[in-house]
Amino acid sequence: GRRLKAEPEQFTYSQRMAIAILAGHRKQYDRAAEFFESALRARPNESTEVLLTWGVGLLHDDRPAEAVEVLRRGIGPNVSPESETEFQFYLAGALALCDRTDEALVAARKAVSLRGDSARIYSRIPWILGYAQRRDEAIREYAALVAKFDADQQSSETREVLRAARMA
C-alpha cells in the first residue's frame, strides 16, 4: 500500500493515534510505531491508552513478540493498579503466544493479585496452561475458576467466561 508521507509532529494527539491505528491496520508496523511513539511524546500522561492500544493491536495482528515489548513499557511504579492489571493480562497472553509459559504465568498471577475478583482476569491462567499443552494443570485451574466464580454470575462477562471454562 501507499505510505503516508506526513511527519507525526504536524498532527494533534488524536490524529497521531488515528494514523497509528490505521497504519497498523495496513500492516505498516514501522509507521504505526512512529506515530504511537509521537503520541506518547505529545501526551506522556496518556501512556496507558497509547501503549494498550498499540500492544493489543500487535496481539490482534499476531505479532506477540512486539506486543510483549510494548506492553512491558506500561508497567511501572506510576501506573494505577487498574491499568497494571490490564497490562499484565495482555502481557501474559503475548508471552504465552511466544511460548514463554513460565513468564506468562507470572504476569497472569500478578494480574490476578491485583484484581482477583474478575473471572476474565483469572481465566488467563488456565488459558495459558491449556495453550502450553499442560492439560492436567489447565483442567485444575479451570475447575478452580468455576468453583471461585460459579456463585457470582451477575455479569454477562462472568457467565461467558464460566461457559468457556466449562467447555475447556
Side-chain angles (χ1 to χ4, degrees), residues 57 81 128:
I128 291 166

Side-chain angles (χ1 to χ4, degrees), residues 13 18 24 26 36 49 55 62-63 68 71 77 84 94 97-98 107 112 121 123-124 126 129 150 153 159 164 167:
Y13 166 80
R26 294 183 66 177
F36 278 123
E49 177 188 16
D62 197 27
R63 300 176 76 84
V68 166
L71 294 166
E84 184 175 358
L97 293 172
C98 292
V112 168
I121 299 297
S123 71
R124 185 62 84 186
L129 292 166
D150 199 37
Q153 294 195 38
R159 286 192 303 275
M167 289 176 60

Side-chain angles (χ1 to χ4, degrees), residues 68-164:
V68 166
E69 299 310 313
V70 170
L71 294 166
R72 280 209 166 132
R73 290 172 62 183
I75 299 167
N78 298 323
V79 67
S80 73
E82 297 82 18
S83 296
E84 184 175 358
T85 301
E86 291 300 310
F87 279 111
Q88 294 285 2
F89 176 82
Y90 288 113
L91 176 61
L95 287 164
L97 293 172
C98 292
D99 296 320
R100 294 163 64 180
T101 304
D102 292 335
E103 290 175 81
L105 288 169
V106 168
R109 288 186 176 116
K110 178 63 177 178
V112 168
S113 76
L114 293 165
R115 186 146 176 251
D117 64 337
S118 167
R120 179 179 77 91
I121 299 297
Y122 194 98
S123 71
R124 185 62 84 186
I125 294 170
W127 179 86
I128 291 166
L129 292 166
Y131 184 83
Q133 306 293 313
R134 289 163 58 172
R135 185 174 159 74
D136 292 341
E137 290 173 86
I139 290 169
R140 278 195 302 277
E141 288 291 342
Y142 275 122
L145 169 69
V146 170
K148 180 174 175 67
F149 293 98
D150 199 37
D152 177 30
Q153 294 195 38
Q154 298 299 320
S155 79
S156 60
E157 179 181 83
T158 298
R159 286 192 303 275
E160 180 73 24
V161 168
L162 292 177
R163 186 170 31 255

Side-chain angles (χ1 to χ4, degrees), residues 13 37-51:
Y13 166 80
E37 293 289 358
S38 180
L40 283 169
R41 286 191 301 277
R43 287 209 191 144
N45 59 326
E46 301 288 340
S47 65
T48 295
E49 177 188 16
V50 175
L51 294 171

